[in-house]
Amino acid sequence: MQPLINVFLGSFLLGAVGAVPLREAVIYDSGFYDMLLGELSPPTDYDENKQAEQLETEIGTALPSAIQESYSSAPLTEEPEEEASTPKLIDGSAAQGSGVLGPQTQDGLPTCLLCTCLGTTVYCDDHELNAVPPLPGRTTYFYSRYNRIKKINRNDFAHLSNLKRIDLTANFISEIHEDAFWRLPQLEELVLRDNRIRQLPELPPTLKFIDVSKNRLGHKGIPNEAFKDLHHLQHLYITDNNLDHIPLPLPESLQALHLQNNNIHRMHEDTFCRRKDLTYIRRALEDIRLDGNPINLSSTPYAYMCLPRLPVGNLS
């Protein structure tokens, strides 16, 4: 009987031990804790007064410099004032007696106060201006539409070497000086539509876009070979001008030619193509408008053989 009791008690103890959860073994880095007690710094005595002084010192150094100076008994020394910088125009160029808002206009107001200057763009639309206002030196785009400007003088755009676009739509311009535009080295777009212009001035070779529609150019308003050397010209609009001919020669770069509502009666077979070279193809010129002219396009069929598309106009 005693052996059975011992077996029963032994199995009971083994079951109880197995039910106890085992803790995960914690591995310590012996290299980190391998330090002799002699190497530890001896404990310092706690001094309440010393701790308070140290706390005050830390708080004092943590204050901003401006507050520290206000509590300092030492007299403050005045710092030398910086030299006043040269005023800048709204377009970023240095002012040269013209004021921060640009040069003075005839009305006594700065250009960028009378008009609106955004970056290098000047907007003077619908301000009842009688003349082109003096522009800041870095002007790139100039808009003066719906005003009362009657004349473009020789020096209205002088020294504006960055000017790329001029838009003078809907003014009363009847006279333009011969040298008003051709000295502008970067001019790409010239818009003079809806004016009273009778004679085109000399044009710079950098132009890509010209719109002189709704003027009074008539028979003599466009000089001979006016567009010959404009090798970058892509768009030429001369509608509503009472023209009686197509101005030639036209540059190879031209993509759009609008001549509607004029008085053009005739067209030569080599106006657009080369009569003696039947292999010549003029791929760029895709948009020709001759509607509103008293010309019968069907009378010169060989004039369009080199074109990718037929002109728009009267075919009967």
Side-chain angles (χ1 to χ4, degrees), residues 43-55:
T44 57
D45 295 334
Y46 179 78
D47 190 340
E48 184 175 355
N49 295 330
K50 185 181 293 185
Q51 292 292 334
E53 293 176 359
Q54 183 179 357
L55 182 60

Side-chain angles (χ1 to χ4, degrees), residues 22-243:
L22 297 178
R23 296 179 61 186
E24 296 181 0
V26 180
I27 301 175
Y28 294 97
D29 187 356
S30 60
F32 182 79
Y33 291 96
D34 189 10
M35 182 181 294
L36 298 177
L37 294 176
E39 296 177 0
L40 296 175
S41 59
T44 57
D45 295 334
Y46 179 78
D47 190 340
E48 184 175 355
N49 295 330
K50 185 181 293 185
Q51 292 292 334
E53 293 176 359
Q54 183 179 357
L55 182 60
E56 289 180 1
T57 303
E58 293 177 356
I59 293 175
T61 56
L63 289 174
S65 58
I67 299 178
Q68 291 186 39
E69 291 178 359
S70 64
Y71 285 96
S72 175
S73 59
L76 297 177
T77 59
E78 296 183 358
E79 296 182 358
E81 296 182 0
E82 296 182 359
E83 295 183 359
S85 59
T86 304
K88 301 291 184 180
L89 291 174
I90 197 166
D91 63 0
S93 60
Q96 298 179 352
S98 57
V100 177
L101 294 176
Q104 297 287 330
T105 64
Q106 294 180 351
D107 298 330
L109 294 175
T111 297
C112 293
L113 185 59
L114 178 64
C115 303
T116 301
C117 299
L118 297 176
T120 58
T121 302
V122 179
Y123 297 94
C124 295
D125 294 342
D126 199 12
H127 278 69
E128 298 187 359
L129 298 178
N130 295 317
V132 175
L135 300 174
R138 294 187 181 180
T139 302
T140 305
Y141 303 97
F142 174 59
Y143 298 86
S144 185
R145 299 165 291 195
Y146 310 105
N147 284 296
R148 300 177 180 274
I149 300 172
K150 297 180 180 180
K151 181 180 179 181
I152 305 299
N153 298 306
R154 184 176 190 271
N155 294 321
D156 282 345
F157 302 103
H159 311 299
L160 296 176
S161 58
N162 296 322
L163 197 58
K164 293 184 177 181
R165 180 182 177 92
I166 297 174
D167 191 341
L168 296 168
T169 298
N171 279 271
F172 300 149
I173 300 171
S174 59
E175 183 180 352
I176 302 176
H177 193 277
E178 180 68 15
D179 299 335
F181 302 124
W182 78 270
R183 295 178 297 169
L184 299 174
Q186 296 192 54
L187 188 63
E188 297 180 352
E189 301 179 25
L190 180 61
V191 183
L192 300 171
R193 65 178 296 121
D194 198 5
N195 279 282
R196 302 173 181 180
I197 301 170
R198 297 181 180 276
Q199 182 75 31
L200 282 184
E202 188 171 354
L203 302 172
T206 54
L207 282 173
K208 298 180 179 179
F209 183 99
I210 299 174
D211 188 353
V212 289
S213 299
K214 295 186 177 181
N215 278 281
R216 303 176 182 180
L217 295 176
H219 177 68
K220 299 180 179 181
I222 301 178
N224 292 331
E225 301 184 345
F227 310 111
K228 177 183 177 181
D229 296 327
L230 306 187
H231 301 301
H232 304 284
L233 186 63
Q234 298 176 0
H235 301 269
L236 179 59
Y237 302 149
I238 322 178
T239 69
D240 300 277
N241 267 278
N242 199 30
L243 291 180

